[in-house]
Amino acid sequence: EDQVTQSPEALRLQEGESSSLNCSYTVSGLRGLFWYRQDPGKGPEFLFTLYSAGEEKEKERLKATLTKKESFLHITAPKPEDSATYLCALGGETSGSRLTFGEGTQLTVNP
Amino acid sequence: ETGVTQTPRHLVMGMTNKKSLKCEQHLGHNAMYWYKQSAKKPLELMFVYNFKEQTENNSVPSRFSPECPNSSHLFLHLHTLQPEDSALYLCASSQDSQGDSPLHFGNGTRLTVT
């Protein structure tokens, strides 16, 4: 059974204080690992897809990386508008259309 | 209009009511999904449609009835709901349903069952 564990559950940063969010996973044949951002009262917004260990993707202050056991979402010099819940999801070869979602990390960036 | 649009944004219904949630995607995707999001729990897959055909029913109670008339539209018909069904219901679409394409979500319908 595919599993996803995100940590920490909640993270408070000062503006400009860089940090990383973790997504640990177990999967039988990775099809894709996905990062999403969710603001209160809205649906998750797609950020990145990673397909194989060693792959990296960047967008503005965010950088996602992937190893065979975990993925990190690095946030460089965050701003208050980066405050949101960040979700990690996993597609596996034995799961078909069922993505496995983590519980998310709630990020708060204080000015 | 682009992306995935869900209506209504908010819905309050009694346990004996019948209502429907609507979803429309303008991305040209072939797969559409219904997810349930409850507080402090991971997103929970309910139904998957691929090219209008239902390919997944994640043991969802029959009081939830999906309908997919074409690849762009998806409905969730609700009847005789329970208070524990109160949640954010999210529609999503993807290019295919093989687990290697990202999902694109709408902003959801916040459902309250009284």
Side-chain angles (χ1 to χ4, degrees):
Chain A
E1 183 181 335
D2 300 342
Q3 290 189 323
V4 174
T5 303
Q6 290 190 247
S7 61
E9 189 173 318
L11 180 63
R12 286 187 174 272
L13 299 174
Q14 288 299 122
E15 184 171 2
E17 180 187 0
S18 302
S19 188
S20 298
L21 312 182
N22 178 265
C23 172
S24 297
Y25 67 90
T26 56
V27 67
S28 178
L30 179 67
R31 298 296 301 267
L33 187 139
F34 309 95
W35 282 100
Y36 292 87
R37 168 195 171 124
Q38 186 172 23
D39 292 297
K42 293 192 172 184
E45 175 190 349
F46 169 66
L47 294 174
F48 304 109
T49 307
L50 301 167
Y51 292 109
S52 58
E55 191 174 0
E56 299 182 352
K57 295 273 180 73
E58 274 188 83
K59 179 181 179 180
E60 296 180 356
R61 295 177 292 282
L62 300 178
K63 179 179 177 181
T65 62
L66 183 66
T67 72
K68 289 187 177 180
K69 293 183 178 181
E70 55 193 355
S71 177
F72 291 95
L73 185 65
H74 306 277
I75 304 177
T76 302
K79 298 182 178 182
E81 52 263 41
D82 295 321
S83 297
T85 296
Y86 290 85
L87 300 172
C88 171
L90 186 68
E93 288 183 355
T94 59
S95 301
S97 55
R98 293 169 180 260
L99 296 191
T100 302
F101 279 84
E103 294 188 20
T105 293
Q106 185 174 355
L107 174 66
T108 304
V109 182
N110 296 313
Chain B
E1 195 167 349
T2 59
V4 180
T5 304
Q6 290 187 244
T7 55
R9 289 298 313 277
H10 301 273
L11 179 62
V12 179
M13 59 186 290
M15 293 169 60
T16 58
N17 291 160
K18 289 185 179 180
K19 296 286 184 183
S20 296
L21 310 185
K22 179 183 175 182
C23 175
E24 184 174 0
Q25 61 99 356
H26 302 269
L27 299 169
H29 288 164
N30 298 315
M32 295 189 78
Y33 310 75
W34 281 115
Y35 276 86
K36 177 182 179 181
Q37 188 173 36
S38 304
K40 303 295 183 183
K41 294 175 72 174
L43 269 76
E44 181 181 341
L45 178 65
M46 299 176 72
F47 302 103
V48 181
Y49 279 82
N50 196 31
F51 290 99
K52 301 190 306 177
E53 299 299 319
Q54 187 179 126
T55 56
E56 289 269 359
N57 177 338
N58 195 23
S59 302
V60 180
S62 60
R63 57 185 183 268
F64 295 91
S65 174
E67 178 189 359
C68 188
N70 55 59
S71 293
S72 298
H73 293 86
L74 186 64
F75 296 88
L76 187 62
H77 304 299
L78 315 172
H79 65 95
T80 326
L81 294 191
Q82 306 298 311
E84 59 264 30
D85 296 323
S86 298
L88 181 67
Y89 288 85
L90 293 163
C91 173
S93 68
S94 66
Q95 188 58 47
D96 60 51
S97 61
Q98 299 305 307
D100 56 359
S101 300
L103 303 179
H104 294 265
F105 288 89
N107 280 327
T109 295
R110 172 65 63 183
L111 174 66
T112 303
V113 181
T114 61

